[in-house]
Structure formats: structure tokens, C-alpha cells
Coordinates of all heavy atoms in Angstrom, one line a residue:
M28 N -18.6 -5.0 13.0 CA -17.5 -4.1 13.4 C -17.1 -3.3 12.1 O -17.0 -3.8 11.0 CB -16.3 -4.9 13.8 CG -15.0 -4.1 14.0 SD -13.6 -5.0 14.6 CE -14.0 -5.2 16.3
L29 N -16.9 -2.0 12.4 CA -16.6 -1.1 11.3 C -15.1 -1.3 10.9 O -14.2 -1.5 11.8 CB -16.8 0.3 11.6 CG -18.3 0.7 11.8 CD1 -18.4 2.1 12.3 CD2 -19.1 0.5 10.6
R30 N -14.8 -1.3 9.6 CA -13.4 -1.5 9.2 C -13.1 -0.4 8.1 O -14.0 0.0 7.3 CB -13.2 -2.9 8.6 CG -13.4 -4.0 9.6 CD -13.4 -5.3 9.0 NE -13.7 -6.4 9.9 CZ -12.9 -7.0 10.7 NH1 -11.6 -6.7 10.6 NH2 -13.3 -7.9 11.5
I31 N -11.8 -0.1 8.0 CA -11.3 0.8 7.0 C -10.2 0.1 6.2 O -9.4 -0.6 6.9 CB -10.8 2.1 7.6 CG1 -11.9 2.9 8.3 CG2 -10.1 3.0 6.5 CD1 -11.4 4.2 9.0
T32 N -10.3 0.2 4.9 CA -9.2 -0.5 4.1 C -8.1 0.5 3.9 O -8.2 1.6 3.4 CB -9.8 -0.9 2.7 OG1 -10.9 -1.8 2.9 CG2 -8.7 -1.5 1.9
C33 N -6.9 0.1 4.5 CA -5.7 0.9 4.3 C -5.0 0.4 3.1 O -4.8 -0.8 2.9 CB -4.8 0.7 5.6 SG -3.2 1.5 5.4
P34 N -4.6 1.3 2.2 CA -3.9 0.9 1.0 C -2.5 0.3 1.3 O -1.9 -0.4 0.4 CB -3.7 2.2 0.2 CG -3.9 3.3 1.1 CD -4.7 2.8 2.2
H35 N -2.0 0.4 2.5 CA -0.7 -0.1 2.8 C -0.8 -1.4 3.7 O 0.1 -2.2 3.6 CB 0.1 0.9 3.6 CG 0.1 2.3 2.9 ND1 0.8 2.5 1.8 CD2 -0.6 3.4 3.2 CE1 0.6 3.8 1.4 NE2 -0.2 4.3 2.3
C36 N -1.8 -1.5 4.5 CA -2.0 -2.6 5.5 C -3.1 -3.5 5.2 O -3.2 -4.6 5.9 CB -2.1 -2.0 6.9 SG -0.9 -0.8 7.4
G37 N -4.1 -3.1 4.4 CA -5.2 -3.9 4.1 C -6.4 -3.5 5.0 O -6.4 -2.4 5.6
V38 N -7.4 -4.4 5.2 CA -8.6 -4.1 5.9 C -8.3 -4.2 7.4 O -7.7 -5.2 7.9 CB -9.7 -5.1 5.6 CG1 -11.0 -4.8 6.4 CG2 -10.0 -5.1 4.1
R39 N -8.6 -3.1 8.1 CA -8.2 -3.0 9.5 C -9.4 -2.5 10.3 O -10.2 -1.7 9.9 CB -7.0 -2.1 9.7 CG -5.8 -2.4 8.9 CD -5.4 -3.9 9.1 NE -4.7 -4.0 10.4 CZ -3.4 -4.3 10.4 NH1 -2.6 -4.4 9.4 NH2 -2.8 -4.4 11.6
S40 N -9.4 -2.8 11.6 CA -10.5 -2.4 12.5 C -10.5 -0.9 12.7 O -9.4 -0.3 12.7 CB -10.3 -3.1 13.9 OG -11.2 -2.5 14.8
L41 N -11.6 -0.3 12.9 CA -11.8 1.1 13.2 C -11.0 1.5 14.4 O -10.6 2.7 14.5 CB -13.2 1.5 13.3 CG -13.6 2.9 13.4 CD1 -13.1 3.7 12.1 CD2 -15.0 3.1 13.7
T42 N -10.8 0.6 15.3 CA -10.1 0.9 16.6 C -8.6 1.3 16.3 O -8.0 1.9 17.2 CB -10.1 -0.2 17.6 OG1 -9.5 -1.4 17.0 CG2 -11.5 -0.6 18.0
E43 N -8.1 1.0 15.2 CA -6.7 1.4 14.8 C -6.5 2.8 14.3 O -5.4 3.2 14.0 CB -6.1 0.4 13.8 CG -6.0 -1.0 14.4 CD -5.3 -2.0 13.4 OE1 -4.8 -1.5 12.3 OE2 -5.3 -3.2 13.6
W44 N -7.7 3.4 14.1 CA -7.7 4.7 13.3 C -8.0 5.9 14.2 O -8.8 5.7 15.2 CB -8.7 4.6 12.2 CG -8.3 3.6 11.2 CD1 -8.6 2.2 11.3 CD2 -7.6 3.7 10.0 NE1 -8.1 1.6 10.2 CE2 -7.5 2.5 9.3 CE3 -7.1 4.8 9.3 CZ2 -6.9 2.3 8.1 CZ3 -6.4 4.6 8.1 CH2 -6.3 3.4 7.5
V45 N -7.6 7.0 13.8 CA -7.9 8.3 14.4 C -8.5 9.2 13.3 O -7.9 9.4 12.2 CB -6.7 9.0 15.0 CG1 -7.1 10.4 15.6 CG2 -6.1 8.1 16.1
Y46 N -9.7 9.7 13.6 CA -10.4 10.6 12.6 C -9.6 11.9 12.4 O -9.1 12.5 13.3 CB -11.8 10.9 13.1 CG -12.5 11.9 12.3 CD1 -13.1 11.5 11.1 CD2 -12.7 13.2 12.7 CE1 -13.7 12.4 10.3 CE2 -13.4 14.1 11.9 CZ -13.9 13.7 10.7 OH -14.6 14.6 9.9
G47 N -9.5 12.3 11.1 CA -8.9 13.6 10.8 C -9.9 14.7 10.6 O -10.2 15.4 11.5
E48 N -10.4 14.8 9.3 CA -11.3 15.8 9.0 C -12.0 15.5 7.7 O -11.7 14.6 7.0 CB -10.5 17.1 8.8 CG -9.6 17.1 7.6 CD -8.8 18.4 7.4 OE1 -9.4 19.4 7.7 OE2 -7.7 18.3 6.8
I49 N -13.1 16.2 7.5 CA -13.9 16.1 6.2 C -13.1 16.9 5.1 O -12.8 18.0 5.3 CB -15.3 16.6 6.4 CG1 -16.0 15.7 7.4 CG2 -16.0 16.6 5.0 CD1 -17.4 16.2 7.7
L50 N -12.9 16.2 4.0 CA -12.1 16.9 2.9 C -13.0 17.4 1.8 O -12.5 18.1 1.0 CB -11.2 15.8 2.3 CG -10.2 15.2 3.3 CD1 -9.4 14.2 2.5 CD2 -9.3 16.3 3.8
D51 N -14.3 17.1 1.9 CA -15.2 17.7 0.8 C -15.2 19.2 0.9 O -15.0 19.8 2.0 CB -16.6 17.2 1.1 CG -16.7 15.7 0.7 OD1 -16.0 15.2 -0.1 OD2 -17.6 15.0 1.3
P52 N -15.5 19.9 -0.2 CA -15.6 21.3 -0.1 C -16.7 21.7 0.9 O -17.7 21.1 1.1 CB -16.1 21.7 -1.5 CG -15.7 20.5 -2.4 CD -15.8 19.3 -1.5
P53 N -16.4 22.8 1.7 CA -17.3 23.2 2.7 C -18.7 23.6 2.1 O -18.7 24.0 1.0 CB -16.7 24.4 3.4 CG -15.6 24.8 2.4 CD -15.3 23.7 1.6
D54 N -19.7 23.4 2.9 CA -21.0 23.8 2.5 C -21.1 25.4 2.3 O -20.4 26.1 3.0 CB -22.1 23.4 3.5 CG -22.2 21.9 3.6 OD1 -22.3 21.3 2.5 OD2 -22.1 21.4 4.7
S55 N -21.9 25.8 1.4 CA -22.0 27.2 1.2 C -22.7 27.9 2.3 O -22.5 29.1 2.6 CB -22.8 27.5 -0.1 OG -24.0 26.9 -0.1
S56 N -23.5 27.1 3.1 CA -24.2 27.7 4.2 C -23.3 27.8 5.4 O -22.6 26.9 5.8 CB -25.4 26.8 4.6 OG -25.8 27.0 5.9
T57 N -23.2 29.0 6.0 CA -22.3 29.3 7.1 C -22.8 28.4 8.3 O -21.9 27.9 9.1 CB -22.4 30.8 7.5 OG1 -22.0 31.5 6.4 CG2 -21.4 31.1 8.7
E58 N -24.1 28.3 8.5 CA -24.6 27.5 9.6 C -24.2 26.0 9.5 O -23.7 25.4 10.5 CB -26.1 27.6 9.7 CG -26.7 26.9 10.9 CD -28.2 27.1 10.9 OE1 -28.6 28.3 10.6 OE2 -28.9 26.2 11.3
L59 N -24.2 25.4 8.3 CA -23.8 24.0 8.1 C -22.3 23.9 8.3 O -21.9 22.9 8.9 CB -24.2 23.5 6.7 CG -25.7 23.3 6.5 CD1 -26.0 22.9 5.0 CD2 -26.2 22.2 7.4
A60 N -21.6 24.8 7.8 CA -20.1 24.8 7.9 C -19.7 24.8 9.4 O -18.8 24.1 9.8 CB -19.5 25.9 7.1
F61 N -20.4 25.7 10.2 CA -20.2 25.8 11.6 C -20.5 24.4 12.3 O -19.7 24.0 13.1 CB -21.0 26.9 12.2 CG -20.8 27.1 13.7 CD1 -19.8 27.9 14.1 CD2 -21.6 26.4 14.6 CE1 -19.5 28.1 15.5 CE2 -21.4 26.6 16.0 CZ -20.4 27.4 16.4
D62 N -21.6 23.8 12.0 CA -22.0 22.6 12.6 C -21.0 21.5 12.3 O -20.6 20.7 13.1 CB -23.4 22.1 12.1 CG -24.5 22.8 12.8 OD1 -24.2 23.4 13.9 OD2 -25.6 22.7 12.4
R63 N -20.5 21.4 11.0 CA -19.5 20.4 10.7 C -18.2 20.6 11.5 O -17.6 19.7 11.9 CB -19.2 20.5 9.2 CG -20.3 19.9 8.4 CD -20.0 20.1 6.9 NE -19.4 18.9 6.4 CZ -19.1 18.8 5.1 NH1 -19.4 19.7 4.2 NH2 -18.5 17.7 4.6
A64 N -17.8 21.9 11.6 CA -16.5 22.2 12.2 C -16.5 22.0 13.8 O -15.6 21.5 14.4 CB -16.0 23.6 11.8
F65 N -17.6 22.5 14.4 CA -17.6 22.6 15.8 C -18.6 21.6 16.5 O -18.3 21.2 17.6 CB -17.9 24.0 16.3 CG -16.9 25.0 15.8 CD1 -17.1 25.8 14.7 CD2 -15.7 25.1 16.4 CE1 -16.2 26.7 14.3 CE2 -14.7 25.9 16.0 CZ -14.9 26.8 14.9
N66 N -19.6 21.2 15.9 CA -20.6 20.3 16.4 C -20.4 18.9 15.8 O -21.1 17.9 16.2 CB -22.0 20.8 16.3 CG -22.2 22.1 17.0 OD1 -21.6 22.3 18.0 ND2 -23.1 22.9 16.4
H67 N -19.6 18.8 14.8 CA -19.3 17.5 14.1 C -20.6 16.9 13.6 O -20.9 15.7 13.7 CB -18.6 16.5 15.0 CG -17.3 17.1 15.4 ND1 -16.2 17.2 14.6 CD2 -16.9 17.7 16.6 CE1 -15.2 17.8 15.3 NE2 -15.6 18.1 16.5
T68 N -21.5 17.7 13.1 CA -22.8 17.2 12.6 C -22.6 16.6 11.2 O -21.9 17.3 10.3 CB -23.8 18.4 12.5 OG1 -24.0 18.9 13.8 CG2 -25.1 17.9 11.9
N69 N -23.1 15.4 11.0 CA -22.9 14.8 9.7 C -24.1 15.1 8.8 O -25.3 14.9 9.2 CB -22.8 13.3 9.8 CG -21.5 12.8 10.3 OD1 -20.5 13.3 9.9 ND2 -21.5 11.9 11.2
S70 N -23.9 15.7 7.6 CA -25.0 15.8 6.6 C -25.2 14.4 6.0 O -24.2 13.7 5.8 CB -24.6 16.8 5.5 OG -24.3 18.0 6.1
P71 N -26.4 14.0 5.8 CA -26.7 12.7 5.2 C -26.1 12.6 3.8 O -26.1 13.5 3.0 CB -28.2 12.6 5.1 CG -28.7 14.0 5.3 CD -27.7 14.8 6.0
G72 N -25.4 11.4 3.6 CA -24.8 11.2 2.3 C -23.4 10.7 2.4 O -22.9 10.4 3.5
V73 N -22.7 10.7 1.3 CA -21.3 10.3 1.2 C -20.3 11.4 1.4 O -20.5 12.4 0.7 CB -21.0 9.5 -0.1 CG1 -19.5 9.1 -0.2 CG2 -21.9 8.3 -0.2
V74 N -19.4 11.3 2.3 CA -18.4 12.4 2.5 C -17.0 11.8 2.3 O -16.8 10.6 2.5 CB -18.5 13.0 3.9 CG1 -19.8 13.8 4.1 CG2 -18.3 12.0 5.0
T75 N -16.0 12.6 2.0 CA -14.6 12.2 1.8 C -13.9 12.7 3.1 O -14.0 13.9 3.4 CB -14.0 12.8 0.6 OG1 -14.8 12.4 -0.6 CG2 -12.6 12.3 0.4
E76 N -13.2 11.8 3.8 CA -12.6 12.2 5.0 C -11.1 11.7 5.1 O -10.7 10.8 4.3 CB -13.3 11.5 6.2 CG -14.8 11.9 6.3 CD -15.5 11.0 7.3 OE1 -15.2 9.8 7.5 OE2 -16.4 11.6 8.0
A77 N -10.3 12.3 5.9 CA -9.0 11.9 6.2 C -8.9 11.1 7.5 O -9.5 11.6 8.5 CB -8.0 13.1 6.2
W78 N -8.4 10.0 7.5 CA -8.2 9.2 8.7 C -6.7 8.8 8.8 O -6.0 8.5 7.8 CB -9.0 7.9 8.6 CG -10.5 8.1 8.8 CD1 -11.4 8.6 7.9 CD2 -11.2 7.8 10.0 NE1 -12.6 8.7 8.4 CE2 -12.6 8.2 9.7 CE3 -10.9 7.3 11.2 CZ2 -13.6 8.1 10.7 CZ3 -11.9 7.1 12.2 CH2 -13.3 7.5 11.9
F79 N -6.2 8.8 10.1 CA -4.8 8.5 10.4 C -4.7 7.1 10.9 O -5.4 6.7 11.9 CB -4.3 9.5 11.4 CG -2.8 9.3 11.7 CD1 -1.9 9.5 10.7 CD2 -2.4 9.0 13.0 CE1 -0.5 9.3 11.0 CE2 -1.1 8.8 13.3 CZ -0.1 9.0 12.3
H80 N -3.9 6.2 10.3 CA -3.8 4.9 10.7 C -2.7 4.8 11.9 O -1.6 4.4 11.7 CB -3.3 4.0 9.6 CG -3.6 2.5 9.8 ND1 -3.2 1.5 9.0 CD2 -4.2 1.9 10.9 CE1 -3.6 0.4 9.5 NE2 -4.1 0.6 10.7
A81 N -3.2 5.2 13.1 CA -2.3 5.4 14.2 C -1.7 4.1 14.7 O -0.5 4.1 15.1 CB -3.1 6.1 15.3
Y82 N -2.4 3.0 14.7 CA -1.9 1.8 15.2 C -1.6 0.8 14.0 O -1.7 -0.4 14.2 CB -2.9 1.1 16.2 CG -3.1 2.0 17.4 CD1 -4.2 2.8 17.5 CD2 -2.2 1.9 18.4 CE1 -4.4 3.6 18.6 CE2 -2.3 2.7 19.5 CZ -3.4 3.6 19.6 OH -3.6 4.4 20.7
G83 N -1.1 1.4 12.9 CA -0.7 0.6 11.8 C 0.5 1.3 11.1 O 1.5 1.5 11.8
C84 N 0.3 1.7 9.9 CA 1.5 2.3 9.2 C 1.7 3.8 9.5 O 2.7 4.3 9.0 CB 1.2 2.2 7.7 SG -0.3 3.0 7.1
R85 N 0.9 4.4 10.3 CA 1.0 5.8 10.7 C 1.0 6.7 9.5 O 1.8 7.7 9.5 CB 2.2 6.0 11.6 CG 2.2 5.1 12.8 CD 3.2 5.4 13.9 NE 3.1 6.8 14.4 CZ 2.2 7.3 15.2 NH1 1.3 6.4 15.7 NH2 2.2 8.5 15.6
R86 N 0.1 6.4 8.6 CA 0.0 7.3 7.4 C -1.5 7.8 7.3 O -2.4 7.2 7.9 CB 0.3 6.5 6.1 CG 1.7 6.1 6.0 CD 1.9 5.4 4.7 NE 3.3 4.8 4.7 CZ 3.7 4.1 3.6 NH1 3.0 3.9 2.6 NH2 4.9 3.7 3.7
W87 N -1.6 8.9 6.7 CA -3.0 9.5 6.4 C -3.6 8.8 5.2 O -2.9 8.6 4.2 CB -2.9 11.0 6.2 CG -2.7 11.7 7.5 CD1 -1.5 12.2 8.0 CD2 -3.7 12.1 8.5 NE1 -1.7 12.8 9.2 CE2 -3.0 12.8 9.5 CE3 -5.1 12.0 8.5 CZ2 -3.7 13.3 10.6 CZ3 -5.7 12.5 9.6 CH2 -5.0 13.1 10.7
V88 N -4.9 8.5 5.3 CA -5.6 7.8 4.2 C -6.8 8.6 3.9 O -7.5 9.1 4.9 CB -5.9 6.4 4.6 CG1 -6.8 5.7 3.5 CG2 -4.6 5.6 4.8
T89 N -7.2 8.8 2.7 CA -8.4 9.4 2.3 C -9.5 8.3 2.0 O -9.2 7.4 1.3 CB -8.3 10.2 1.0 OG1 -7.3 11.2 1.3 CG2 -9.6 10.9 0.6
V90 N -10.6 8.4 2.7 CA -11.7 7.4 2.6 C -13.0 8.1 2.4 O -13.2 9.3 2.7 CB -11.8 6.5 3.8 CG1 -10.5 5.7 4.0 CG2 -12.1 7.3 5.1
R91 N -14.0 7.4 1.8 CA -15.3 7.9 1.6 C -16.2 7.1 2.6 O -16.1 5.9 2.7 CB -15.7 7.7 0.2 CG -14.9 8.5 -0.8 CD -15.2 8.3 -2.2 NE -16.5 8.5 -2.6 CZ -17.3 7.7 -3.2 NH1 -16.9 6.5 -3.5 NH2 -18.6 8.0 -3.4
R92 N -17.1 7.8 3.3 CA -18.0 7.2 4.3 C -19.4 7.7 4.0 O -19.7 8.9 3.8 CB -17.6 7.6 5.7 CG -18.4 7.0 6.8 CD -17.9 7.4 8.2 NE -17.8 8.8 8.4 CZ -18.8 9.5 9.0 NH1 -19.9 8.9 9.4 NH2 -18.6 10.8 9.2
D93 N -20.3 6.7 4.1 CA -21.8 7.0 4.0 C -22.2 7.4 5.4 O -22.2 6.5 6.3 CB -22.6 5.9 3.4 CG -24.0 6.2 3.2 OD1 -24.5 7.2 3.8 OD2 -24.6 5.5 2.4
T94 N -22.6 8.6 5.6 CA -22.9 9.1 7.0 C -24.3 8.5 7.5 O -24.5 8.5 8.7 CB -23.0 10.6 7.1 OG1 -24.0 11.1 6.2 CG2 -21.6 11.2 6.7
T95 N -25.1 8.0 6.6 CA -26.4 7.4 7.0 C -26.2 6.0 7.5 O -27.0 5.6 8.3 CB -27.4 7.4 5.9 OG1 -26.9 6.7 4.8 CG2 -27.7 8.8 5.4
T96 N -25.1 5.3 7.1 CA -24.9 3.9 7.6 C -23.6 3.8 8.3 O -23.3 2.7 8.9 CB -24.9 3.0 6.4 OG1 -23.8 3.3 5.5 CG2 -26.2 3.0 5.6
D97 N -22.7 4.8 8.2 CA -21.3 4.7 8.8 C -20.5 3.6 8.1 O -19.5 3.2 8.6 CB -21.3 4.5 10.3 CG -21.3 5.8 11.0 OD1 -21.1 6.9 10.4 OD2 -21.7 5.9 12.2
I98 N -20.9 3.2 6.9 CA -20.1 2.2 6.2 C -19.0 2.9 5.3 O -19.3 3.9 4.7 CB -21.0 1.3 5.3 CG1 -21.9 0.5 6.1 CG2 -20.2 0.5 4.3 CD1 -22.9 -0.4 5.4
F99 N -17.8 2.4 5.4 CA -16.7 3.0 4.6 C -16.7 2.4 3.3 O -16.8 1.2 3.1 CB -15.4 2.8 5.3 CG -15.2 3.6 6.6 CD1 -15.7 3.0 7.8 CD2 -14.7 4.8 6.6 CE1 -15.6 3.7 9.0 CE2 -14.6 5.6 7.8 CZ -15.1 5.0 8.9
L100 N -16.7 3.2 2.2 CA -16.7 2.8 0.9 C -15.3 2.7 0.3 O -14.4 3.5 0.8 CB -17.5 3.8 0.0 CG -18.9 4.1 0.6 CD1 -19.5 5.2 -0.1 CD2 -19.8 2.9 0.6
S101 N -15.0 1.9 -0.6 CA -13.7 1.8 -1.2 C -13.4 2.9 -2.1 O -14.2 3.6 -2.5 CB -13.5 0.4 -1.8 OG -14.4 0.2 -2.8
Ligands
ZN224 ZN1 -2.0 1.4 7.3

């Protein structure tokens, strides 16, 4: 089961979270930026994202995720 560590609540199941957006600087390629925004295409590698702890503290948290494994990094 995928889990995200909340700095306020601790390690919590992914089911408690709502995805926000990718916070990394946009790709210089217009085509890649379009895919990320509208097709939600993940480029392989580590991205920084905003997630909302909807069923917890109801705060936004910045996390890093490896898109090749979907593992959340601390
Ligand atoms: Zn929380």
C-alpha cells in the first residue's frame, strides 16, 4: 500500500490524500508541459508534488515521488 508521510500526522495511507499538482519547474518543451497539464503524463524520475491531506489535518504537503515506482520519498 502506498503511503505519504505527513509532517503533522505521520505516515498515512494514500487513500487519505488528494493530489494537487507538480511543483517542479515546467519542462522547456511545450509538448511535455501540455502532457503534464492536460494528459497527466509522468516523465520518468523524481518529481516534487503538492498533496492535500483531505482526511487528516487538511493541510497541503510538499512531497517527492519517483514516477517510475510511485514510491514517495521523504
Ligand atoms: Zn496531515
Side-chain angles (χ1 to χ4, degrees):
M28 172 180 284
L29 295 175
R30 297 175 187 270
I31 296 176
T32 300
C33 176
H35 313 287
C36 307
V38 179
R39 307 303 285 249
S40 168
L41 186 62
T42 58
E43 296 185 7
W44 297 83
V45 175
Y46 174 74
E48 63 179 333
I49 295 175
L50 300 176
D51 289 330
D54 295 310
S55 57
S56 161
T57 303
E58 185 175 320
L59 286 175
F61 181 87
D62 278 347
R63 286 174 96 176
F65 297 103
N66 298 327
H67 303 283
T68 302
N69 285 318
S70 300
V73 176
V74 294
T75 303
E76 300 172 324
W78 285 77
F79 182 64
H80 199 182
Y82 295 99
C84 61
R85 302 194 58 78
R86 295 181 186 181
W87 285 96
V88 173
T89 300
V90 298
R91 295 172 61 233
R92 179 175 62 90
D93 186 336
T94 60
T95 59
T96 61
D97 272 343
I98 292 177
F99 291 91
L100 310 169
S101 56

